[in-house]
Amino acid sequence: MENRKNFAWPVTTVCKYDLKAFEDFIHDKSLFLSGKKIAVFGAGIRGTQYSLFLKRFGYRDIVFTDNNMKKVGGYINEFPIVPLNQIVDEKGQVVILISVENGTDICQQLKKLGFEEDREFFYIENHLYDEYVKRFMDRRKTQAILMGDCGITDLAVKDEDRENLGEMITRDSGENAVKVLAIHAMGMRAYYTIFKSHCENIYKPRNVILMTNMEVFTGKQHLLPRSQHAALIKKICDCVQNRNAELEEYVKVTNERFTNFKNDYFTSSDNALKDMGKGTNEKIIIKMNYMFRMDMDNECMIYLKKFIQYCKAQDIKLLLFIPPANYEYAEKLWGDLFREKYDRNVKVLLDIAKENGVPVKDFSYRLLAEKFADICTIDETLNQDGRKIIARELVEEMRKDGMI
């Protein structure tokens, strides 16, 4: 077991919609799960989350399966990843939960293998895209729009308070002051394309607050399937009348990237890196998200500049904010090298903002590790105490700048 391949992600956070959907599923479908082995289809980040949810509700007889045969034979922490044909052989004794986002193809795959939907396999939908589009299409005018990723929408796994950062900011800003358009793993091209479409089709706000989380500028955004949100971009395109060329092109781009995805960029079983020692997974991700030198020509950097220029042309006031980094844990793993590389990248963003006269609220070193989802997390999502601090200070900055 010592040399087993563990494909688990270091999950310390959860999408609020995922948690709610899973809790509703357990409440409504517990009879189907009773006495059965549970096979989670999808040995990735959401699969890892599902295993945590299942353990929370007392389920322990769990295995994983995956269409990526490189993962078969490995583990998600204590749970083995088995071949799909083993699950087929155990039909009648096993219930399958599809953890993959946009799992329609897997639903069809299981139906062809003779499994019955909503009895022998379940695809737990969180309706996150529908909720996002509903917010996007809301024509009640607000003074500002807040855009960002999971740091705005997600919760810490350990949280008791389920008000995420976006909801805290909305509450503290006052009624109808801020519209939040945020979702996990989104990049600058998506922010730019969605915001421009909103201005052209819904309404043009006087102000926009944009989260500039460091990881999207490291050049890997186009490599990650869950970062494309192809179905969401298409939903937005289908809902608006004025479909500008950039939106239509982005629908094609995200679909092609999602469809043509071949390999995981993250794996804890990379033999070339096994000598890095304890904390290897976290060291890799911290390096990828914070320490790689920013390429000024990567897609996210290009679209950050386009976002800035669009706001200037439309006379929309823009505030950028850099979310807190768990620098204490990063320095524990990387030493002084972390701060050297991270500060260099922060300076790139600050210089771009300064050149364009855009204010920045830099929270990089604002919080200690105890305010994050976990003291040893590499995720930017904060716990309930950390969220309250950032919400209060960001709203204060927005008020000071006359945005709300």
Side-chain angles (χ1 to χ4, degrees), residues 228-242:
Q228 304 314 314
H229 295 294
L232 173 62
I233 302 302
K234 187 175 187 307
K235 279 178 178 285
I236 291 173
C237 187
D238 290 344
C239 286
V240 299
Q241 291 184 335
N242 184 6

Side-chain angles (χ1 to χ4, degrees), residues 189 193 222 228-230 233 245-261 299 303:
R189 185 169 182 179
T193 306
H222 65 288
Q228 304 314 314
H229 295 294
I233 302 302
E246 288 173 306
L247 175 60
E248 292 186 334
E249 174 64 19
Y250 196 47
V251 170
K252 296 177 184 177
V253 167
T254 53
N255 184 62
E256 288 172 359
R257 287 176 177 174
F258 183 83
T259 303
N260 295 330
F261 168 71
E299 181 177 280
Y303 277 89

Side-chain angles (χ1 to χ4, degrees), residues 83-99:
L84 181 56
N85 59 13
Q86 178 177 322
I87 305 300
V88 174
D89 291 342
E90 295 177 347
K91 189 175 183 296
Q93 287 79 51
V94 65
V95 172
I96 303 170
L97 305 185
I98 299 171
S99 67

Side-chain angles (χ1 to χ4, degrees), residues 39-160:
V40 179
F41 200 134
I45 183 170
R46 293 185 85 235
T48 305
Q49 282 186 339
Y50 274 29
S51 69
L52 296 178
F53 295 163
L54 287 165
K55 287 167 65 176
R56 175 183 292 186
F57 287 103
Y59 295 94
R60 291 293 187 275
D61 190 4
I62 302 167
V63 297
F64 279 80
T65 192
D66 202 283
N67 282 328
N68 183 350
M69 292 304 297
K70 292 181 180 179
K71 292 186 176 183
V72 173
Y75 288 78
I76 295 292
N77 293 324
E78 68 265 41
F79 304 118
I81 306 171
V82 303
L84 181 56
N85 59 13
Q86 178 177 322
I87 305 300
V88 174
D89 291 342
E90 295 177 347
K91 189 175 183 296
Q93 287 79 51
V94 65
V95 172
I96 303 170
L97 305 185
I98 299 171
S99 67
V100 178
E101 289 182 284
N102 303 316
T104 306
D105 289 345
I106 292 176
C107 288
Q108 296 304 315
Q109 180 182 359
L110 292 174
K111 287 178 182 178
K112 290 179 181 178
L113 291 170
F115 288 93
E116 183 181 350
E117 188 169 9
D118 293 333
R119 179 171 290 273
E120 295 177 305
F121 78 87
F122 297 88
Y123 176 40
I124 305 171
E125 294 189 74
N126 59 21
H127 303 291
L128 182 58
Y129 287 173
D130 292 336
E131 291 295 325
Y132 189 101
V133 172
K134 182 179 177 181
R135 289 195 304 275
F136 175 90
M137 295 296 294
D138 190 344
R139 295 184 177 275
R140 290 175 295 180
K141 290 190 176 182
T142 57
Q143 295 169 275
I145 288 178
L146 170 65
M147 303 192 77
D149 75 348
C150 53
I152 292 176
T153 63
D154 284 11
L155 307 171
V157 169
K158 300 175 182 178
D159 277 337
E160 296 180 6

Side-chain angles (χ1 to χ4, degrees), residues 134-238:
K134 182 179 177 181
R135 289 195 304 275
F136 175 90
M137 295 296 294
D138 190 344
R139 295 184 177 275
R140 290 175 295 180
K141 290 190 176 182
T142 57
Q143 295 169 275
I145 288 178
L146 170 65
M147 303 192 77
D149 75 348
C150 53
I152 292 176
T153 63
D154 284 11
L155 307 171
V157 169
K158 300 175 182 178
D159 277 337
E160 296 180 6
D161 184 340
R162 293 195 179 177
E163 191 177 37
N164 63 30
L165 181 60
E167 290 167 334
M168 289 180 178
I169 291 170
T170 300
R171 170 175 48 79
D172 292 350
S173 298
E175 189 176 359
N176 296 324
V178 176
K179 174 192 276 194
V180 179
L181 293 177
I183 200 168
H184 64 272
M186 205 166 251
M188 288 296 149
R189 185 169 182 179
Y191 296 145
Y192 166 80
T193 306
I194 291 170
F195 183 66
K196 185 177 179 183
S197 297
H198 187 282
C199 291
E200 294 176 350
N201 290 277
I202 313 303
Y203 64 84
K204 185 175 76 172
R206 293 190 297 107
N207 309 285
V208 59
I209 302 95
L210 178 63
M211 181 179 185
T212 50
N213 47 312
M214 199 65 62
E215 64 179 287
V216 304
F217 297 105
T218 57
K220 69 179 190 294
Q221 190 73 18
H222 65 288
L223 300 175
L224 309 181
R226 69 189 305 268
S227 300
Q228 304 314 314
H229 295 294
L232 173 62
I233 302 302
K234 187 175 187 307
K235 279 178 178 285
I236 291 173
C237 187
D238 290 344

